[in-house]
Amino acid sequence: MKFTIITPNYNGEKYLEKCIKSVLDQKVDFEHIVVDAESTDSSSDILNSYSHLKIISEKDNGMYDAINKGIAIAEGDIIAYLNCDDRYPDGSLSMVLEAFNKNEKIDFVYGNCRFVNHLEQEIYTYKVPPLFGNLLKKVTVMPWAQPSVFYKKRVFDSLGFFSIKYSLASDYHFMKRVILSELKGKKINKTLSCFM
């Protein structure tokens, strides 16, 4: 199975390259789509120095619009988005792939997330609490850390893309739609991403 990782970017030169490298260092089949909103910093120079990237460079209507553009052209079986200041630790995507390979009925995989500061020093690790059935459907906060969630492409085929109505919380809105659906998820008790 192939991954599609989507990174929205606008003037993220300070962190962008480490994000790209963290994906590049994963030992899986992947495509990395960076959707850049015509940055005015050196982002384009950084992006153009990595020939493996698929780059969309055009104005957008915010982060979720940018992510949707990436989803629309995604060729991977597993889709996730990673903001330009976030990272995947070594081996993250291999663990995700293993979980999907063990059970083809799983629609999404999620795990823990290490929160880091601007110096990439750990603040704490968010460990997904055990939430089940009806309790999960009543949760009013994001139960999973966004960069540690990986969806099969069929999830977007079924539910649609991120709503651009919510400029800061469309990922929560999307997760809620996932929770209220009949889709099946699998928790991995490992740190799958670093969130700045």
Side-chain angles (χ1 to χ4, degrees), residues 128-139:
V128 181
L131 295 169
F132 303 99
N134 290 334
L135 178 61
L136 186 57
K137 293 180 180 182
K138 293 176 182 175
V139 168

Side-chain angles (χ1 to χ4, degrees), residues 1 31 49 67 94 101 109-110 118 144 152 159 169 175 188:
M1 279 189 284
E31 63 175 358
S49 68
I67 295 163
S94 294
N101 282 337
V109 165
Y110 55 97
H118 68 287
W144 312 310
K152 285 276 188 73
L159 299 181
M175 286 180 195
I188 298 177

Side-chain angles (χ1 to χ4, degrees), residues 95-148:
M95 288 187 282
V96 172
L97 182 62
E98 182 180 4
F100 278 121
N101 282 337
K102 281 183 176 177
N103 187 346
E104 63 182 31
K105 293 182 179 178
I106 292 173
D107 300 295
F108 60 99
V109 165
Y110 55 97
N112 301 329
C113 179
R114 182 178 300 119
F115 282 63
V116 297
N117 64 19
H118 68 287
L119 299 174
E120 301 198 37
Q121 298 165 329
E122 182 174 346
I123 301 170
Y124 70 97
T125 296
Y126 174 73
K127 295 183 179 180
V128 181
L131 295 169
F132 303 99
N134 290 334
L135 178 61
L136 186 57
K137 293 180 180 182
K138 293 176 182 175
V139 168
T140 57
V141 295
M142 287 177 59
W144 312 310
Q146 168 271 311
S148 290

Side-chain angles (χ1 to χ4, degrees), residues 18-37:
K18 285 189 177 179
C19 172
I20 294 168
K21 287 181 176 178
S22 82
V23 178
L24 193 55
D25 288 343
Q26 302 296 313
K27 307 293 190 233
V28 295
D29 185 18
F30 74 91
E31 63 175 358
H32 192 176
I33 301 170
V34 180
V35 186
D36 183 76

Side-chain angles (χ1 to χ4, degrees), residues 155-173:
V155 172
F156 296 100
D157 294 338
S158 172
L159 299 181
F161 294 0
F162 292 96
S163 171
I164 62 171
K165 287 194 305 183
Y166 307 103
S167 60
L168 296 175
S170 192
D171 42 7
Y172 164 75
H173 177 258

